[in-house]
Amino acid sequence: MLGQLAMMVIVVALLGWVVYRYPINGWPSLLWVAPAVVMTIIRIPFAKQTAANSITEKRAVGKERALLALVSIGGTYLPLLHLSTDVLHFANYAPPIWVPIVGGILLVPALYLFWRSHADLGRHWSVTTELHADQTLVTSGVYQRVRHPMYAAIWLLFGLQPFFIQNWIAGFSGLVSFGVMYAIRVPVEEQMMRDQFGEEYVAFCERAGRLWPKRR
């Protein structure tokens, strides 16, 4: 409870600081804060729901911590450093006005997919690569034809970051850091699912693509 409250305070403080610096950073910077707030709101009830899970297995714990820290740096801390100070302004660029507008439109399906993938997983969602006592293989909803729709949503959200944070370093840092995490984490995660569910998961992989549906 205290952790969630602290997270909300940080998000509100971040939003206030970025709004304060709006004349410096421009209105697209506000579109970077918006999905961060929405994603936090989406995850809070699912975090509560999964808190009671009895964890039976975790994999690559140390590596997971390092990867999550890397994504935090690229997706949050570097953008926040840029929006809060002038340290990285030497790497700014000025795209056409339609770029952040298009990015704002694309936020809608990206955030919907992020929410839907959490809703379909329910109590089977977790931040780390782990299994719990009542683990089942979810193959319904958005998971019917895609194995990792949540990762697809995050790819899109980080891909939109340079639309709003118009800086060659802070804008693309989230995309790069998440790309590293995705490349290392997904094989570990999928192997864990194969070990747990065997042929059921193999059959699921044959009919469902990783990030988008397979052609029938």
Side-chain angles (χ1 to χ4, degrees):
M1 187 66 178
L2 290 176
Q4 294 172 359
L5 181 59
M7 184 180 298
M8 291 178 64
V9 170
I10 291 172
V11 169
V12 171
L14 171 63
L15 177 60
W17 187 245
V18 171
V19 170
Y20 175 76
R21 285 178 60 88
Y22 152 74
I24 298 173
N25 297 317
W27 65 266
S29 62
L30 301 179
L31 292 178
W32 175 75
V33 175
V37 173
V38 173
M39 290 168 70
T40 301
I41 293 172
I42 288 172
R43 279 195 161 174
I44 286 175
F46 295 102
K48 288 182 178 179
Q49 190 176 3
T50 59
N53 286 347
S54 177
I55 306 304
T56 58
E57 181 179 356
K58 283 179 176 280
R59 295 206 178 178
V61 176
K63 188 184 296 183
E64 285 257 301
R65 289 174 181 168
L67 291 173
L68 289 171
L70 178 66
V71 173
S72 295
I73 291 170
T76 302
Y77 300 136
L78 274 176
L80 181 56
L81 175 67
H82 168 63
L83 295 175
S84 302
T85 71
D86 297 328
V87 172
L88 300 178
H89 280 204
F90 67 90
N92 283 358
Y93 56 84
I97 188 63
W98 59 263
V99 171
I101 294 175
V102 170
I105 294 171
L106 291 176
L107 278 178
V108 176
L111 289 171
Y112 172 78
L113 181 58
F114 186 78
W115 167 76
R116 186 70 257 176
S117 57
H118 279 77
D120 288 340
L121 275 182
R123 61 188 297 265
H124 300 298
W125 168 74
S126 64
V127 175
T128 58
T129 305
E130 63 187 39
L131 296 170
H132 63 83
D134 301 318
Q135 189 80 43
T136 61
L137 181 61
V138 178
T139 59
S140 59
V142 290
Y143 291 87
Q144 186 173 4
R145 297 187 60 194
V146 180
R147 304 201 298 274
H148 303 291
M150 193 177 302
Y151 288 152
I154 296 172
W155 268 119
L156 182 53
L157 289 164
F158 278 130
L160 293 174
Q161 184 168 298
F163 286 49
F164 311 131
I165 300 180
Q166 297 161 0
N167 180 274
W168 290 108
I169 299 173
F172 289 89
S173 58
L175 196 61
V176 172
S177 60
F178 180 70
V180 172
M181 178 180 178
Y182 178 84
I184 295 174
R185 179 175 180 171
V186 167
V188 174
E189 184 176 315
E190 293 196 338
Q191 186 59 53
M192 182 181 70
M193 300 301 281
R194 287 190 188 94
D195 293 342
Q196 177 72 12
F197 298 107
E199 290 302 318
E200 183 183 4
Y201 188 73
V202 172
F204 177 51
C205 291
E206 290 176 354
R207 67 176 184 270
R210 263 187 177 166
L211 295 175
W212 50 81
K214 288 184 176 180
R215 296 180 64 180
R216 293 185 181 275

